[in-house]
């Protein structure tokens, strides 16, 4: 059995981002504003190959690019 987020072509990280955004938007205004401030983050990563660090990338931009690529492949 496969997970729905996986079947939809999402990464787990992207699935969590979408679920978090939906939850924050469902809160009342006072709680929503506080939760939205906590939801802002800047995460970067780098792929290591043979003991050498590769290019450092912003996770949000990398996920967006991955989603676009995944949607383009799914449309073929």
């Amino acid at each position: 059995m496969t997970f729905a987020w996986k079947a939809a072509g999402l990464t787990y990280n992207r699935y969590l981002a979408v679920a978090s955004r939906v939850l924050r938007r469902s809160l009342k205004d006072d709680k929503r504003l506080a939760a939205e401030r906590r939801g802002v983050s800047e995460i970067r990563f780098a792929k290591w190959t043979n003991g050498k660090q590769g290019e450092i990338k912003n996770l949000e931009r990398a996920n967006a690019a991955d989603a676009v690529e995944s949607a383009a492949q799914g449309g073929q």
Side-chain angles (χ1 to χ4, degrees):
M1 181 168 106
T2 184
F3 295 104
W5 57 267
K6 202 172 206 177
L10 296 174
T11 63
Y12 185 68
N13 200 25
R14 184 69 183 145
Y15 161 74
L16 287 178
V18 170
S20 298
R21 190 175 343 126
V22 169
L23 178 64
R24 282 187 211 106
R25 288 181 179 174
S26 70
L27 297 172
K28 292 183 180 179
D29 286 340
D30 57 336
K31 305 255 189 234
R32 180 181 50 82
L33 293 174
E36 284 178 355
R37 278 187 236 119
R38 284 192 311 265
V40 175
S41 63
E42 176 84 19
I43 300 174
R44 292 184 261 161
F45 71 98
K47 185 175 182 178
W48 288 72
T49 307
N50 296 327
K52 298 194 182 207
Q53 182 178 355
E55 177 186 356
I56 297 174
K57 297 180 183 179
N58 179 296
L59 185 62
E60 186 177 348
R61 285 187 222 129
N63 279 342
D66 194 32
V68 168
E69 181 182 324
S70 184
Q73 289 176 353
Q76 292 179 357

